[in-house]
Amino acid sequence: MNSGGKNLILNSWTLDINIVHHAQKMHDLTSQLKKDGRSIGFVPTMGALHAGHISLIEKAKAENDIVICSIFVNPTQFNDLKDLENYPRMPEADIAFLKSAGCNLVFLPTPAEIYPNGPELLDISFGFMEETMEGAFRPGHFKGVATVVNRLFEIVQPTNSYFGEKDFQQLAIIRKMVALLNHSTNIIGCPTLRESDGLAMSSRNMLLTAEQRKSAPLIYKAMETAKEFIPHQSPAAVIELVKRYIQKSSYLSVQYFQLVNPDTLEDIKNWEEGKPVQGCIAVLTEGPRLIDNIRYE
Ligand code: PAF
């Protein structure tokens, strides 16, 4: 691993990937890069990278001079200690993956670098947006996400920041945080990458047993099949159909499936001509909890 000085990194960024552990060093580097007029594309992650992350890196690479990826399993966004402990960690494999994708800099901080005064949460309210869906089952989760992303933006000072649409509610919260705190970075949402059987790519998929993995594609299949019933059936009836389709597997249990306005995340009661609807779902297995979403135009 190379965590050498600023000049070394600035001179060699085209040659090899560089790893930075310290927040101040990363901030100094990005300040210098920005002074030099280089645009910075940023992909924040919690590691255990898969092809979905790599597609974000590739997009960032196509649209910016420098690509920075952070790997930090953020403790403040886990409301379940077991989930935090079980979260897959594989920094060496991640770095090799990032290297082959052409990422220039990896930010790999310790919790003390991110939270020098302890894990203080950002004091802003997202109201209903942080209480519905994921927020209802993972209290405090989005405060933790907003806190870490805000801190990462302060350190990395990205021109453009890339997030997967798989975490649809997270993306909406981050957009709101950026507007409320006047961050100058552009937030770019990127389409969900799927396995060939439709399962949304996720770091948590590697925690599925063989039986759970076999059943998991039912989640997207159910949401896709629902298209046939829109707008002939009411939103409430479509929700029931999707839930029943998935409950056919004894390995899956739907925690919620909601049809919401993509901007406000408010539940919709009726279909309205020309107004897209987002279907958002969380499914429990005896192992990892899976989320996904779909756009109904
Ligand atoms: O989506 C994720 O991996 C995380 O929630 C993020 C945005 C990196 C913040 O920790």
Side-chain angles (χ1 to χ4, degrees):
M1 283 191 193
N2 179 358
S3 54
K6 180 167 79 182
N7 292 335
L8 175 66
I9 291 174
L10 285 179
N11 293 339
S12 66
W13 67 265
T14 48
L15 302 177
D16 200 0
I17 196 160
N18 289 277
I19 293 143
V20 179
H21 298 281
H22 301 292
Q24 188 59 52
K25 184 176 274 180
M26 180 53 89
H27 188 266
D28 290 349
L29 269 169
T30 52
S31 300
Q32 186 61 49
L33 288 165
K34 292 195 89 166
K35 243 191 237 157
D36 291 349
R38 302 202 210 230
S39 58
I40 298 171
F42 179 43
V43 181
T45 79
M46 297 206 297
L49 303 180
H50 49 71
H53 293 113
I54 297 307
S55 74
L56 304 186
I57 298 283
E58 281 166 358
K59 188 161 168 61
K61 209 168 164 53
E63 297 176 356
N64 300 274
D65 298 321
I66 302 284
V67 177
I68 301 178
C69 176
S70 63
I71 300 178
F72 179 63
V73 182
N74 172 36
T76 65
Q77 70 188 77
F78 287 82
N79 55 320
D80 175 353
L81 205 63
K82 240 197 161 106
D83 190 23
L84 173 62
E85 279 166 12
N86 289 342
Y87 201 84
R89 290 164 173 87
M90 46 190 68
E92 282 82 13
D94 287 343
I95 289 162
F97 217 2
L98 289 171
K99 200 169 172 167
S100 61
C103 177
N104 305 114
L105 276 166
V106 185
F107 183 38
L108 215 95
T110 58
E113 289 289 323
I114 295 294
Y115 299 115
N117 306 316
E120 265 170 43
L121 291 180
L122 209 54
D123 187 20
I124 50 176
S125 170
F126 299 98
F128 175 77
M129 283 178 96
E130 66 178 321
E131 286 155 17
T132 186
M133 299 194 288
E134 287 303 282
F137 294 96
R138 304 181 68 190
H141 168 67
F142 289 118
K143 277 277 200 293
V145 170
T147 300
V148 77
V149 174
N150 172 60
R151 174 88 175 115
L152 290 167
F153 284 173
E154 284 172 355
I155 298 166
V156 176
Q157 313 173 76
T159 319
N160 300 303
S161 301
Y162 298 81
F163 293 87
E165 284 171 354
K166 174 175 168 286
D167 295 297
F168 190 80
Q169 191 173 3
Q170 165 173 286
L171 185 53
I173 294 270
I174 289 169
R175 286 192 199 283
K176 187 149 183 188
M177 185 270 285
V178 163
L180 288 172
L181 301 183
N182 285 319
H183 279 291
S184 61
T185 188
N186 301 308
I187 301 297
I188 297 167
C190 305
T192 304
L193 249 65
R194 298 186 178 279
E195 304 291 352
S196 55
D197 56 14
L199 177 64
M201 289 190 186
S202 164
S203 306
R204 286 189 163 88
N205 291 353
M206 64 182 77
L207 304 174
L208 293 166
T209 63
E211 288 90 353
Q212 291 161 357
R213 175 64 189 83
K214 230 167 139 182
S215 298
L218 270 185
I219 301 168
Y220 186 61
K221 208 161 170 207
M223 292 196 296
E224 271 232 306
T225 306
K227 285 181 181 166
E228 291 170 28
F229 303 101
I230 299 172
H232 321 295
Q233 302 260 11
S234 69
V238 168
I239 288 172
E240 274 321 299
L241 282 167
V242 167
K243 285 184 179 171
R244 255 189 279 141
Y245 196 107
I246 295 170
Q247 298 305 156
K248 281 193 289 189
S249 163
S250 55
Y251 295 100
L252 307 175
S253 158
V254 179
Q255 197 169 43
Y256 66 80
F257 175 57
Q258 288 176 227
L259 295 168
V260 302
N261 174 312
D263 300 318
T264 63
L265 307 184
E266 301 271 358
D267 292 86
I268 60 126
K269 301 278 173 271
N270 301 297
W271 309 116
E272 282 183 58
E273 183 81 42
K275 288 209 179 156
V277 169
Q278 205 75 24
C280 298
I281 197 162
V283 173
L284 300 174
T285 69
E286 278 185 7
R289 183 174 172 277
L290 304 173
I291 63 168
D292 200 353
N293 66 86
I294 191 168
R295 175 68 60 112
Y296 299 116
E297 297 291 348

